């Protein structure tokens, strides 16, 4: 069986051998398509619109950042709603209410793994899914009186007017090899960052991570504020919800797997916590795990003499939503997004941009 390519690693390479000219031609066609795409007339929602996005395919930590911002907005008293497109969700309705201001919809698994995780992580904040984010926002405004809208993965969604565009970039691998898809990871040229009001370099708490990226951005004339943040492991969680201290991982033999945009970052997190990762398997982003795959992973765990089968919270949300059987040895690592010291100004910047005109 042919092994699926690991695009997160391939997108770091300058050359792909025989495939380089073909990938370069495909990237050129992709770029031409972007340049020819007509500018859509922007629709305006009745409130403040904050977009959380990136310019690369793959993981930069948008979901944990969206959770943090939604909790902050909720604490500030804003009538907040999270709007998602439900990437790879199977819903067929124009609008899907994943959660309301009082409960998570148990029938909303078709909205995708990220909306379900968002709904469970920020109780009291409606999470609404629609292919067109304006329709999701209009629904939240009409039904819940929402006036603070957070667009999850919204930087490329140009049809909706926004008041603040926040772009997240991995501090270590901010734009891969610098090429457009599919040769590289860029969804659009780096010049598109001119639309951003602020940039957050994620996973920036390790040494001088982010210094090189900051230098490149400044050398290219970008003047927007650049903040730094880290994704910090919080605890291990059992399927029933019981939490376990991270100290339990020290010296523990574990098998691990993930289907996220940057799977190797998950493995590095486990190793940094002292776990002995005796087997690791990476799957494509948003991979729908089958009972057979989970059984195979459990069999590998046993053969390797590992005590736990560990995955990410996002993968666990997808597995649970699919209602497939899973091994009793499974655990997931909960990650929290936090701004590093000196970067608290991001929240102040957003607050100042909101001003006094937002109804709370």
């Amino acid at each position: 069986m042919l092994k699926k390519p690991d695009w997160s690693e391939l997108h770091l390479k300058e050359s792909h051998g025989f495939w380089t000219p073909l990938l370069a031609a495909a990237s050129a066609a992709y770029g031409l398509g972007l340049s020819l795409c007509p500018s859509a007339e922007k629709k305006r929602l009745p409130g403040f619109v904050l977009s959380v996005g990136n310019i690369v395919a793959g993981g930069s930590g948008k979901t944990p950042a969206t959770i943090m911002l939604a909790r902050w907005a909720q604490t500030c008293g804003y009538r907040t709603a999270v709007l998602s497109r439900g990437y790879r969700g199977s819903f067929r309705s124009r609008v899907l209410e994943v959660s309301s201001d009082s409960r998570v919809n148990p029938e909303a698994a078709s909205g995708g793994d990220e909306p379900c995780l968002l709904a469970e992580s920020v109780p009291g904040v409606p999470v609404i899914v629609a292919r067109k984010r304006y329709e999701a926002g209009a629904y939240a405004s009409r039904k819940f009186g929402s006036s603070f809208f957070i667009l999850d993965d919204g930087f490329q969604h140009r049809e909706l007017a926004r008041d603040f565009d926040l772009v997240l970039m991995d501090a270590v691998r901010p734009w891969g090899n610098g090429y457009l898809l599919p040769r590289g990871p860029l969804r659009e040229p780096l010049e598109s960052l001119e639309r951003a009001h602020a940039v957050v370099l994620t996973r920036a708490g390790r040494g001088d991570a982010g210094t090189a990226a900051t230098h490149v951005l400044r050398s290219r004339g970008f003047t927007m504020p650049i903040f730094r943040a880290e994704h910090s492991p919080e605890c291990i969680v059992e399927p029933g919800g019981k939490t376990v201290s991270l100290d339990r991982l020290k010296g523990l033999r574990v098998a691990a797997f993930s289907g996220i945009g940057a799977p190797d970052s998950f493995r590095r997190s486990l190793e940094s916590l002292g776990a002995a990762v005796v087997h690791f398997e990476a799957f494509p982003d948003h991979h729908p795990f089958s009972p057979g795959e989970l059984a195979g992973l459990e069999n590998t765990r046993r053969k390797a003499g590992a005590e736990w089968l560990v995955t990410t919270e996002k993968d666990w949300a997808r597995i649970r939503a699919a209602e497939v059987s899973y091994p009793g040895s499974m655990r997931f690592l909960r990650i929290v997004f936090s701004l590093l010291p000196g970067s608290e100004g991001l929240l102040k910047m957003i607050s100042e941009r909101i001003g006094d005109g937002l109804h709370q």
Side-chain angles (χ1 to χ4, degrees):
M1 180 181 294
L2 291 174
K3 185 178 179 181
K4 293 182 179 179
D6 183 352
W7 289 104
S8 63
E9 293 300 323
L10 291 175
H11 282 164
L12 295 174
K13 297 180 179 179
E14 177 72 22
S15 174
H16 300 91
F18 169 81
W19 297 103
T20 300
L22 295 176
L23 289 172
S27 293
Y30 176 83
L32 179 61
L34 288 177
S35 66
L36 295 177
C37 186
S39 298
E41 182 179 353
K42 292 181 173 58
K43 296 183 177 180
R44 165 66 65 177
L45 286 171
F48 187 86
V49 178
L50 166 63
S51 168
V52 180
N54 64 7
I55 62 168
V56 301
S60 59
K62 296 185 298 296
T63 301
T66 299
I67 291 171
M68 183 275 286
L69 289 166
R71 288 173 176 168
W72 167 77
Q74 184 183 40
T75 300
C76 291
Y78 299 125
R79 299 183 67 84
T80 309
V82 175
L83 314 180
S84 171
R85 62 173 172 153
Y87 180 65
R88 292 200 178 181
S90 59
F91 70 100
R92 297 186 179 277
S93 57
R94 291 182 66 176
V95 177
L96 177 66
E97 182 182 307
V98 178
S99 65
S100 67
D101 53 2
S102 60
R103 63 188 287 270
V104 177
N105 180 2
E107 307 299 324
S110 62
D113 55 341
E114 290 168 350
C116 289
L117 176 56
L118 287 164
E120 293 173 357
S121 300
V122 194
V125 172
V127 176
I128 312 299
V129 168
R131 302 304 183 196
K132 293 183 179 296
R133 241 65 67 90
Y134 175 80
E135 295 182 356
Y139 178 95
S141 173
R142 182 172 62 253
K143 184 169 182 179
F144 304 111
S146 302
S147 56
F148 189 106
F149 305 96
I150 301 178
L151 306 188
D152 179 39
D153 194 12
F155 194 59
Q156 282 76 41
H157 189 75
R158 306 288 292 277
E159 296 178 6
L160 182 61
R162 69 282 312 278
D163 301 285
F164 197 98
D165 255 312
L166 179 63
V167 173
L168 274 55
M169 307 179 77
D170 188 297
V172 179
R173 302 174 174 182
W175 42 76
N177 57 18
Y179 294 111
L180 290 171
L181 289 167
R183 183 180 180 183
L186 288 176
R187 293 174 168 185
E188 51 185 316
L190 200 59
E191 288 70 27
S192 65
L193 287 175
E194 293 176 354
R195 305 197 311 270
H197 294 99
V199 166
V200 173
L201 297 175
T202 64
R203 303 185 182 94
R206 304 157 197 179
D208 60 351
T211 301
T214 300
H215 176 74
V216 171
L217 291 176
R218 294 299 185 226
S219 68
R220 297 186 67 148
F222 294 112
T223 59
M224 80 289 280
I226 299 175
F227 301 98
R228 298 167 68 246
E230 183 57 282
H231 293 79
S232 306
E234 184 180 51
C235 61
I236 294 289
V237 185
E238 298 179 355
K242 179 183 177 181
T243 59
V244 181
S245 170
L246 295 174
D247 291 337
R248 181 72 174 82
L249 282 173
K250 292 180 180 178
L252 190 73
R253 291 172 64 86
V254 302
F257 68 98
S258 69
I260 58 176
D264 200 50
S265 66
F266 172 56
R267 176 175 187 164
R268 291 195 300 269
S269 292
L270 291 174
E271 292 173 339
S272 70
L273 294 168
V277 182
V278 296
H279 176 78
F280 182 80
E281 197 159 341
F283 292 83
D285 195 12
H286 299 277
H287 180 72
F289 294 98
S290 68
E293 287 172 326
L294 295 175
L297 287 164
E298 171 65 2
N299 186 49
T300 299
R301 177 195 69 82
R302 289 178 182 153
K303 289 182 178 179
E307 186 167 343
W308 287 346
L309 180 61
V310 187
T311 191
T312 70
E313 188 170 15
K314 186 182 291 188
D315 286 307
W316 165 244
R318 189 160 60 252
I319 291 168
R320 186 175 64 175
E323 297 183 341
V324 298
S325 58
Y326 54 84
S329 65
M330 186 173 293
R331 306 288 188 274
F332 66 83
L333 181 65
R334 175 165 288 159
I335 299 290
V336 294
F337 178 94
S338 56
L339 294 168
L340 292 174
S343 292
E344 302 87 347
L346 171 63
L347 301 180
K348 180 180 179 182
M349 184 181 178
I350 296 172
S351 296
E352 290 175 346
R353 197 166 186 88
I354 293 171
D356 299 324
L358 184 62
H359 173 69
Q360 297 187 33

